[in-house]
Amino acid sequence: MSFRIVPLFCVLSLGAFFALTPFLQGGDESSPSRFQMLEPAKPPAADATKLGLTHSVSRADESGYYANLDIVDCFAVMSYRYTGGRYKDEPILFRLRIPETIQAGQKYPLIIIFHGAGESGSENRNQLAHFQHSAEFFFGPNRRDFFVLATQRPKDSISWETSLSQEGQGDAPLTIAKEILDGLLKDYPIDRDRISAIGICAGGSGAWKMASLYPDLLAAIATCSSTPTLQGIGEVQIQNMNFWMFNSTRDNFAPIEKVRQNVRALQERGAQIHLTEYDTSLHNSWTGALYREKLFGWLLLQHRGWLYPPPGEVYPQRSALTVFLRFGLPVLVIVTLLLIRALVMKKRTIRK
């Protein structure tokens, strides 16, 4: 009789375990249930080769720019349920570009967009302003498979890194973007060694701040019309990241002398940082960076810890003497010692 009870007891125990497991594990702050795709991406109607030539359209109040709807259509409308600071379990809308073809077992690079102050809002579109200049990477015969995360700063936000509720950093736009990113890394096949950030205008400070707060996250930073920062950029970032800055020589919002000064300071500390200048007074270096320099192509090459210089740039190479002293001389010494040992052993054999 007792032998019949044992199997029954085992079955009941297993059933209870599987039934209670969800409750015992508790909720995960970045669980898939916090994400919702409200609208999938749509096929674009425009020609990518022509779209890249179109200029960004300024808003009537000249406070910012409208996003090109053909580019907007390439991004899914996503919602993330966030709780922190002034937000109480509220949905945060953002845009996500997902590769059209995802192969099993393969991981893809991701680019994080930090838009400028003028594109702040809640319509969940204008954070994509200017990216029509990179249309060839999103659709058409030359499209590439990669992810793009584009969150949007609220209108009343001072900066990407400043909390809105004055309760610490709990609801800073950068903090929210990082939590969304952490969730995406769990749910999507993103290559953690190929995450880069681009900052336009005031978004440059957001990109630099993310690099300083999370030194093991980014492979590269590119900023346009923004002054690079020195604060928080340490040895880890310098050794494992690439930096490419763009600026106009007569930009009143990002003075070129200050930009050059900070670039030189980072170069002296060993950073692989490059500055491309455009001889204009416009507060706009992003058009040249995105369209002329094919910035997205460079960002997609980046791999954490690897050196991929901008086109036309060459990183300083070790001299022949340095290479010989570091690698050739030890090999030569070892080979010489082995030959001497062989000769000694041969003489001993002859004497015997």
Side-chain angles (χ1 to χ4, degrees):
M1 185 70 178
S2 60
F3 290 102
R4 296 178 181 177
I5 295 175
V6 172
L8 179 61
F9 175 77
C10 293
V11 171
L12 292 175
S13 299
L14 286 172
F17 172 77
F18 287 114
L20 294 175
T21 295
F23 300 98
L24 294 174
Q25 289 178 340
D28 184 350
E29 287 300 306
S30 298
S31 63
S33 62
R34 286 183 169 266
F35 286 99
Q36 184 179 3
M37 182 182 291
L38 303 181
E39 295 180 22
K42 306 172 185 175
D47 181 354
T49 57
K50 296 179 180 178
L51 189 57
L53 296 171
T54 62
H55 294 288
S56 300
V57 179
S58 300
R59 298 208 291 269
D61 57 3
E62 296 185 351
S63 63
Y65 297 86
Y66 289 112
N68 185 289
L69 294 182
D70 286 295
I71 293 299
V72 172
D73 284 344
C74 296
F75 288 70
V77 180
M78 303 290 292
S79 172
Y80 180 76
R81 183 163 49 86
Y82 180 84
T83 298
R86 71 174 183 177
Y87 299 103
K88 303 301 178 186
D89 216 28
E90 292 185 24
I92 303 293
L93 298 181
F94 67 97
R95 292 276 176 170
L96 181 66
R97 197 260 180 170
I98 303 172
E100 291 184 23
T101 55
I102 294 181
Q103 298 180 5
Q106 186 170 338
K107 293 185 179 294
Y108 300 87
L110 177 139
I111 297 173
I112 306 168
I113 289 175
F114 292 97
H115 63 77
E119 289 73 65
S120 300
S122 57
E123 84 292 328
N124 197 28
R125 286 194 307 272
N126 290 338
Q127 70 264 40
L128 297 173
H130 315 305
F131 292 101
Q132 71 273 11
H133 301 308
S134 297
E136 63 186 295
F137 294 98
F138 294 128
F139 59 90
N142 298 320
R143 70 169 179 81
R144 308 278 282 278
D145 288 326
F146 61 101
F147 290 88
V148 181
L149 169 61
T151 58
Q152 188 174 29
R153 270 177 48 186
K155 269 289 186 186
D156 55 355
S157 171
I158 299 174
S159 69
W160 280 95
E161 57 268 32
T162 304
S163 172
L164 299 174
S165 62
Q166 305 304 315
E167 299 177 15
Q169 295 297 313
D171 61 351
L174 180 61
T175 303
I176 297 172
K178 176 57 167 57
E179 185 170 311
I180 290 174
L181 173 61
D182 290 340
L184 294 177
L185 290 174
K186 293 181 179 180
D187 292 356
Y188 291 92
I190 297 170
D191 190 337
R192 292 173 181 264
D193 289 323
R194 300 176 66 193
I195 301 174
S196 302
I198 177 172
I200 290 180
C201 189
S205 65
W208 284 103
K209 189 66 175 181
M210 176 165 276
S212 65
L213 289 177
Y214 313 104
D216 297 320
L217 178 65
L218 299 176
I221 287 179
T223 65
C224 305
S225 306
S226 177
T227 304
T229 184
L230 304 177
Q231 186 177 4
I233 304 301
E235 195 65 23
V236 176
Q237 292 92 333
I238 286 175
Q239 288 182 347
N240 293 294
M241 295 177 58
N242 291 315
F243 308 90
W244 195 359
M245 313 292 103
F246 299 85
N247 216 77
S248 299
T249 55
R250 287 165 282 143
D251 187 339
N252 292 326
F253 292 94
I256 191 63
E257 286 306 322
K258 182 62 176 177
V259 173
R260 290 169 179 168
Q261 177 184 334
N262 286 8
V263 167
R264 283 195 298 268
L266 287 167
Q267 287 174 337
E268 290 171 359
R269 289 162 55 182
Q272 301 294 349
I273 181 170
H274 299 267
L275 172 62
T276 296
E277 299 180 7
Y278 297 115
D279 186 19
T280 174
S281 60
L282 295 175
H283 178 60
N284 175 3
S285 60
W286 50 81
T287 299
L290 295 170
Y291 184 69
R292 188 186 311 169
E293 315 296 345
K294 310 297 182 186
L295 179 55
F296 265 63
W298 180 77
L299 289 172
L300 293 176
L301 283 175
Q302 301 308 304
H303 189 290
R304 185 166 175 75
W306 296 3
L307 301 182
Y308 283 105
E313 297 283 351
V314 179
Y315 286 144
Q317 301 294 318
R318 297 186 180 96
S319 66
L321 178 61
T322 302
V323 174
F324 173 75
L325 291 175
R326 179 169 293 185
F327 302 105
L329 184 59
V331 172
L332 183 61
V333 170
I334 292 172
V335 170
T336 303
L337 291 174
L338 289 174
L339 287 173
I340 293 172
R341 184 176 182 275
L343 289 173
V344 170
M345 297 297 293
K346 186 176 182 181
K347 287 182 178 179
R348 288 179 180 176
T349 303
I350 293 173
R351 287 176 182 175
K352 289 180 181 180

